[in-house]
Amino acid sequence: WKEVVAEAEYEGGFIDMKRLHLRDHLGVLDATATWHMGAERVRFRLTSSADLPGLARVFFDNDQLHEVVFYEAPHLALEGSLFVGRTQPEGMVPAEVTGRLDCGRFGSRGEIFDSLSLTLGATPDGFFARDVMLKHKTGTLALHLMKHRTLGFKYDLRLGMDPNVFLPFIPTPKTREVIQRFSFDETSFIDVRMSCAGASTNLRECPSSGHGVVRNLRYKGVFFESVEMDLAFLGD
């Protein structure tokens, strides 16, 4: 950190963090928070253009945080409450927050992306990401996503970019092998729309279906001018 400024007051069990200001090589983080000792909620508000993965590594031990490099300062705005001393269901976050993330050029696992923007929210029962827009030199990916403890899992996706971009992020060899059968160039057109609603992210419980139009592609080296299809994924 290049600069750290904190201003807080304590009176009668009430803690008021009036200002927390951090500055690093990318930008600044400003936050306020209030907490009455013994209460389960810490209310906060935060804005940041600082190194988010670097900040997150202070609190979370996750190797994937080392894999993201920002070439432009990301802008994050969050507000809500953090819960202290409460046990959460597995995979859920101890918070009620809403926010917005906008970041420019960044890289991960050898791929460079032009930008990412989204609206997000989380409660102890689930989370959502809305109006997700990921931009790459080959096109865009648009996404709405929700996972809820009782309402299940839902997504709506529109793929307009080369899916080979995602190969470094896909752990399943079989899935990677299927994607690698397709090859695209600057003349290709991709418009694949998928949606899903089910009990969980497991495909056996959450069937996906949609429609796709692709032009100027190669499949196993064979050129096709146009392919249009209805498609669905379920189980194996």
Side-chain angles (χ1 to χ4, degrees), residues 5-236:
V5 179
E7 180 184 351
E9 288 185 355
Y10 170 79
E11 182 179 358
F14 184 77
I15 299 174
D16 183 5
M17 175 66 75
K18 293 180 176 294
R19 184 189 183 204
L20 176 63
H21 173 85
L22 307 172
R23 183 166 62 92
D24 67 4
H25 65 287
L26 280 181
V28 299
L29 180 148
D30 287 294
T32 61
T34 58
W35 181 50
H36 195 285
M37 295 182 67
E40 68 172 13
R41 290 175 179 260
V42 178
R43 302 186 184 277
F44 77 98
R45 178 172 292 177
L46 176 150
T47 60
S48 174
S49 59
D51 180 0
L52 295 177
L55 179 64
R57 287 196 295 270
V58 175
F59 302 100
F60 304 102
D61 182 17
N62 189 325
D63 291 338
Q64 293 181 350
L65 295 173
H66 295 268
E67 297 176 353
V68 181
V69 177
F70 290 110
Y71 301 102
E72 301 175 24
H75 294 273
L76 173 68
L78 288 177
E79 64 177 305
S81 300
L82 299 176
F83 296 108
V84 293
R86 179 194 288 190
T87 302
Q88 302 300 324
E90 183 178 356
M92 301 304 176
V93 295
E96 286 183 358
V97 298
T98 57
R100 175 80 186 177
L101 173 66
D102 293 279
C103 64
R105 191 165 172 264
F106 69 97
S108 181
R109 300 191 185 185
E111 284 292 342
I112 304 297
F113 297 91
D114 294 333
S115 65
L116 171 66
S117 60
L118 58 93
T119 300
L120 58 92
T123 74
D125 288 323
F127 65 87
F128 71 84
R130 188 173 63 241
D131 300 322
V132 179
M133 177 61 69
L134 177 66
K135 295 183 179 180
H136 185 265
K137 64 181 181 181
T138 63
T140 62
L141 171 70
L143 176 68
H144 303 287
L145 176 72
M146 181 194 77
K147 183 179 181 182
H148 193 273
R149 186 164 55 90
T150 57
L151 299 178
F153 175 72
K154 297 180 180 180
Y155 78 78
D156 286 296
L157 176 149
R158 182 174 183 179
L159 178 70
M161 60 192 291
D162 187 345
N164 286 280
V165 171
F166 301 105
L167 289 176
F169 307 94
I170 298 175
T172 311
K174 189 174 182 179
T175 303
R176 291 200 302 268
E177 189 274 329
V178 171
I179 293 176
Q180 288 172 321
R181 298 175 188 173
F182 298 86
S183 58
F184 306 89
D185 59 29
E186 63 277 2
T187 67
S188 300
F189 171 83
I190 303 171
D191 186 3
V192 178
R193 308 182 189 205
M194 299 292 295
S195 61
C196 166
S200 76
T201 56
N202 189 323
L203 286 180
R204 289 180 173 81
E205 302 175 8
C206 188
S208 301
S209 61
H211 185 81
V213 177
V214 186
R215 300 189 182 97
N216 296 336
L217 75 151
R218 292 185 180 273
Y219 179 78
K220 292 186 176 181
V222 179
F223 178 77
F224 291 89
E225 289 186 0
S226 178
V227 178
E228 184 171 0
M229 72 203 87
D230 293 315
L231 65 161
F233 302 103
L234 175 62
D236 294 329

